[in-house]
Amino acid sequence: MTRPRTALTCCVLALVATGCGIRPTGVTAGGTAPSGISKDMRIYFASDSGLRGVSRPGKKVRDFNAAYRLLLDGPTREEQFNGLANLVAPEKWLRVTSHDGSVTISIPHSTADAPQDQSTGQLVCTFARAEVLLHGTRPDKVQVTIVIGGERAGPYQCQQFLSH
Amino acid sequence: MSSTEESTEESAEGTTAKSAPPLAAKAGLRARIRLPRLDGLRGRLIITVVVVALISSVTATALAYRESRDAVLKRAQNAAVEDFRNRVDSLAADLDVPTDPRSMARFATDVSSGLRGALVVAQYRDYTASSDPSADRSRITAELRATVRTRTQVSLQRVEHGGKPWLALGAPVLLDSAGRDRSSGQPSGVEIFAVVSLADEERDTAELVRSVQRGLLPVVLLAAVLALLAARTVLRPVRKLARATRRLATGELSIRVEERGRDELAELAHTFNETAGALEDSVSELRAQEALARRFVADVSHELRTPLAAMTIVSSVLEEDADQLTPDTAHAARTVSAETAKLTRLVDDLIEISRFDARAVALTVHSVDMAEAVRATLAARGWTDRVEADLPPGIRARLDRRRLDVIVANLVGNALRHGAPPVTVTVRAADDRLTVTVADHGPGMTPEVARHVFDRFYKADSARSRSEGSGLGMAIALENARLHGGTIELAPPAPGVGAVFTLQMPLRTESAS
């Protein structure tokens, strides 16, 4: 009677060795990490599907004027091909100041019409991003106010202009 | 010679006297074979085959199961990692660092919607965003978090949670490194985790096990049936051989078994047949020799009878006239007469026992009154005064009166010669058995004597080589008892009693024997 018992033990051992079901494992490697997050300046352009930001890697932004210049440079050829356009008209006297995360865009003499929705978004989001990079403010703490002539608009948050 | 004679006698006797016990044993054996015994050859074969079938099928299943499960899991995990990386890659472009909880939550929800609604947790510095804030995040182990923090690659870990398997994925999201080598990308500080369910994969592999379980019973049954068939091919010749051996043992020396095939069992059957043949030859040779010897004794006895008859007449005439002879001659005449009478008795006994040996004896059965018959026996030999007879009246038996006389005379004569008085004869009848007990009050018999008391020419006292008996009396008594279907037994020695012989036989003996 010992032989069957031994055989049975073998069977059980084989089953145990195989292990039923799916067992937990330790941590294993699964290939390269995803990438694509940007820490550089991002400027925003208008498109048919709403406001879209594009990054400008390698461009150092030392002040708000640099960001404004990047915006006025407009989309690259490739970005134009993708349907991006700059709706912001150049304003010679545009001044941007910030205090504790509150950004104020002052346009003393407006030569153009009041900013349209997307162009306002372009200004708000681009300067908000510049504020984050210049002063390290948390993105959701940045508030942008636009003063045209003596008329204040805002404060806005970039989030309001993003379609999704 | 004497030993072989004994053995052949024993085997010859086995066929007749011991025919009842082997029959019962045979019936018991057959009943045992019919029962499904697991310690027999058949049981061992079945167990072995079934166990081998079980081991092989379970082992094969286990290996196949492991392979397929690992393959399924590997494919599922690779697909999950690929999906995860692609999804995060495509969505990371819209995320900037430093970032804020709201963007992170949107990012997590977007990643989740591309991963079949898996739980996605994004972490940046000291805040965490989850695609499903109410979900339990303990599936993402501290171990995985630590690995993700230190290594810039996708890490994965299978965990069990709530009895279900999950695959937890985690990776630091690198900064956009357009144009540059991807592997050299800098970590952005955003870490993203996803927990994907492996329930589908578990169900698939469990289905495999279930289908094997369903198939296992038929496999075992099939193996058992095959084992039974295999056992039958082996067991049938073995059983035949066993039956033949038993019949050989009961004296059926002409038994042979069929030799079929060329395997070991056929070889065994051949050896058995050879052995049985050799045995039969030697036994028949011995029997022939023995028959020859017995016939010689019978012939010699017969040949001696005629001259002995003449001698008896002459010696009795001489003895009658002894008074007229000189004392020396008279003594010689008396001695010759006595020795002739003894020789006549010896020859008669020899003739009697050779009739038994030749089985040329028949019973002449009458209804006999036991008390009267025993009394007559004692009276005929002049022993009435020397023997105490306990003979209850009214016991009647059907038996051969002459042979009863021989038995009683031999037992009593033996007791008178070798035992000490008083000698008692007791007759009893109970349950269709007749019992005649002859007891003396001598010293009894030593075990050595008791063992040989029924042997032919056995002398209890070797110093007294010339006793009055022929040395055949007890053997003849026993043969007569057996002829009636009875026995004579010597009671075991007891203090205060001498040798006690008990004749037992049926109260009614069939006349045909």
Side-chain angles (χ1 to χ4, degrees):
Chain A
M1 281 289 122
T2 49
R3 218 163 9 137
R5 199 172 296 166
T6 315
L8 211 72
T9 315
C10 285
C11 286
V12 170
L13 277 180
L15 274 178
V16 167
T18 316
C20 261
I22 296 172
R23 321 219 123 253
T25 60
V27 176
T28 51
T32 53
S35 62
I37 289 181
S38 162
K39 69 168 183 181
D40 299 312
M41 185 57 205
R42 187 182 286 267
I43 51 179
Y44 291 81
F45 293 113
S47 78
D48 290 345
S49 58
L51 204 61
R52 279 175 53 194
V54 292
S55 67
R56 288 281 181 264
K59 296 274 179 22
K60 281 284 175 199
V61 176
R62 288 187 217 287
D63 52 23
F64 287 113
N65 280 335
Y68 190 48
R69 275 197 301 276
L70 278 176
L71 183 66
L72 291 181
D73 284 347
T76 61
R77 193 170 288 275
E78 193 186 338
E79 285 159 1
Q80 285 173 11
F81 187 76
N82 286 334
L84 298 186
N86 179 23
L87 300 181
V88 175
E91 292 283 352
K92 198 180 177 187
W93 300 106
L94 184 135
R95 269 183 61 231
V96 183
T97 55
S98 84
H99 175 70
D100 201 14
S102 291
V103 179
T104 309
I105 305 169
S106 305
I107 307 171
H109 308 290
S110 175
T111 51
D113 298 334
Q116 295 301 303
D117 215 19
Q118 287 214 14
S119 60
T120 310
Q122 274 188 280
L123 286 172
V124 169
C125 285
T126 303
F127 286 118
R129 178 64 187 162
E131 163 68 16
V132 168
L133 289 181
L134 287 172
H135 301 116
T137 317
R138 235 174 77 170
D140 55 341
K141 303 287 186 207
V142 178
Q143 296 202 323
V144 181
T145 311
I146 300 177
V147 183
I148 302 174
E151 211 169 316
R152 298 176 73 90
Y156 298 109
Q157 281 204 313
C158 175
Q159 205 64 47
Q160 292 168 248
F161 300 94
L162 296 173
S163 51
H164 46 269
Chain B
M1 182 69 190
S2 68
S3 71
T4 53
E5 194 173 273
E6 215 168 47
S7 75
T8 51
E9 221 168 56
E10 196 113 291
S11 71
E13 169 185 295
T15 50
T16 53
K18 289 180 186 169
S19 62
L23 259 173
K26 212 181 275 178
L29 228 119
R30 203 167 294 154
R32 240 184 300 156
I33 284 171
R34 290 266 165 80
L35 283 170
R37 289 193 308 154
L38 283 185
D39 53 340
L41 192 56
R42 186 205 311 254
R44 269 184 290 174
L45 253 170
I46 292 174
I47 286 177
T48 308
V49 171
V50 166
V51 163
V52 165
L54 264 178
I55 287 178
S56 47
S57 55
V58 165
T59 309
T61 307
L63 292 176
Y65 170 76
R66 203 176 56 182
E67 280 308 304
S68 73
R69 182 196 59 190
D70 290 355
V72 162
L73 279 178
K74 194 170 181 195
R75 207 174 53 229
Q77 285 175 194
N78 286 347
V81 168
E82 204 58 34
D83 283 356
F84 176 69
R85 188 188 294 122
N86 289 343
R87 191 70 190 164
V88 173
D89 266 346
S90 70
L91 289 168
D94 292 336
L95 196 67
D96 297 317
V97 281
T99 183
D100 59 278
R102 201 192 294 157
S103 314
M104 297 248 301
R106 204 178 60 233
F107 180 60
T109 311
D110 289 350
V111 172
S112 168
S113 70
L115 293 175
R116 291 184 288 168
L119 168 70
V120 174
V121 174
Q123 195 168 356
Y124 179 70
R125 290 191 185 156
D126 54 347
Y127 43 85
T128 305
S130 171
S131 67
D132 180 3
S134 62
D136 183 4
R137 286 181 211 165
S138 66
R139 284 171 283 182
I140 302 163
T141 61
E143 193 187 358
L144 182 64
R145 285 176 193 278
T147 313
V148 166
R149 203 165 301 134
T150 53
R151 303 179 68 173
T152 54
Q153 60 180 20
V154 178
S155 298
L156 52 152
Q157 184 181 25
R158 270 205 315 267
V159 292
E160 197 176 308
H161 184 264
K164 287 201 168 70
W166 302 86
L167 179 67
L169 303 150
V173 188
L174 304 184
L175 286 173
D176 183 23
S177 51
R180 275 173 291 170
D181 186 12
R182 218 176 173 194
S183 59
S184 69
Q186 294 298 307
S188 64
V190 175
E191 288 164 4
I192 186 145
F193 299 91
V195 181
V196 181
S197 171
L198 289 175
D200 287 351
E201 285 72 23
E202 188 181 46
R203 203 179 51 237
D204 289 350
T205 51
E207 186 57 42
L208 184 76
V209 171
R210 262 197 296 281
S211 66
V212 166
Q213 278 172 348
R214 277 195 295 272
L216 211 57
L217 188 67
V219 163
V220 166
L221 284 179
L222 187 69
V225 168
L226 286 177
L228 261 176
L229 289 176
R232 257 180 54 173
T233 61
V234 174
L235 283 182
R236 207 188 301 141
V238 167
R239 214 176 301 148
K240 267 189 199 161
L241 210 58
R243 212 176 299 142
T245 312
R246 274 199 297 278
R247 284 167 71 178
L248 188 72
T250 59
E252 203 176 322
L253 296 179
S254 61
I255 188 80
R256 297 288 182 277
V257 291
E258 192 185 354
E259 298 170 23
R260 204 164 47 186
R262 296 184 162 277
D263 56 1
E264 288 83 348
L265 285 167
E267 215 168 281
L268 183 62
H270 181 70
T271 313
F272 174 84
N273 286 345
E274 273 184 350
T275 310
L279 190 62
E280 191 180 18
D281 286 351
S282 21
V283 166
S284 61
E285 195 181 325
L286 283 173
R287 279 200 182 135
Q289 282 179 7
E290 196 193 350
L292 216 62
R294 282 182 176 163
R295 205 161 63 232
F296 175 73
V297 171
D299 290 348
V300 166
S301 312
H302 272 284
E303 291 303 322
L304 284 175
R305 208 139 78 154
T306 320
L308 259 179
M311 278 171 69
T312 308
I313 295 166
V314 171
S315 65
S316 60
V317 168
L318 272 177
E319 201 182 7
E320 268 173 30
D321 297 341
D323 299 343
Q324 298 155 27
L325 299 174
T326 59
D328 281 357
T329 319
H331 181 251
R334 284 198 190 91
T335 306
V336 165
S337 176
E339 290 299 315
T340 307
K342 206 185 278 178
L343 190 59
T344 309
R345 215 158 47 236
L346 176 61
V347 167
D348 283 347
D349 281 355
L350 273 174
I351 289 171
E352 178 81 2
I353 206 133
S354 37
R355 280 209 196 104
F356 277 111
D357 289 345
R359 300 185 195 285
V361 285
L363 286 174
T364 316
V365 177
H366 298 288
S367 182
V368 174
D369 182 283
M370 284 305 293
E372 188 263 323
V374 172
R375 213 170 280 127
T377 300
L378 297 180
R381 286 165 182 79
W383 292 338
T384 314
D385 302 335
R386 300 168 61 190
V387 175
E388 290 175 13
D390 176 7
L391 307 169
I395 296 179
R396 296 194 72 81
R398 277 188 67 81
L399 43 76
D400 190 325
R401 182 171 179 153
R402 189 183 70 80
R403 295 188 187 281
L404 176 71
D405 176 71
V406 169
I407 296 170
V408 173
N410 273 311
L411 290 180
V412 175
N414 190 61
L416 287 173
R417 267 200 302 280
H418 301 296
V423 174
T424 60
V425 178
T426 315
V427 175
R428 292 284 182 271
D431 299 337
D432 287 340
R433 300 290 292 177
L434 175 69
T435 313
V436 180
T437 310
V438 177
D440 65 54
H441 289 78
M445 291 184 181
T446 63
E448 172 67 18
V449 174
R451 201 160 40 242
H452 297 289
V453 72
F454 292 111
D455 289 358
R456 294 172 189 186
F457 297 115
Y458 181 75
K459 295 282 169 21
D461 189 352
S462 51
R464 199 177 46 170
S465 57
R466 282 183 55 78
S467 71
E468 293 127 87
S470 64
L472 290 169
M474 295 303 279
I476 289 173
L478 183 61
E479 290 290 352
N480 276 314
R482 281 183 182 160
L483 202 60
H484 283 90
T487 56
I488 299 176
E489 273 164 12
L490 178 61
V497 191
V500 179
F501 285 94
T502 307
L503 162 70
Q504 275 214 344
M505 55 193 211
L507 211 49
R508 311 196 160 272
T509 310
E510 310 302 322
S511 52
S513 178

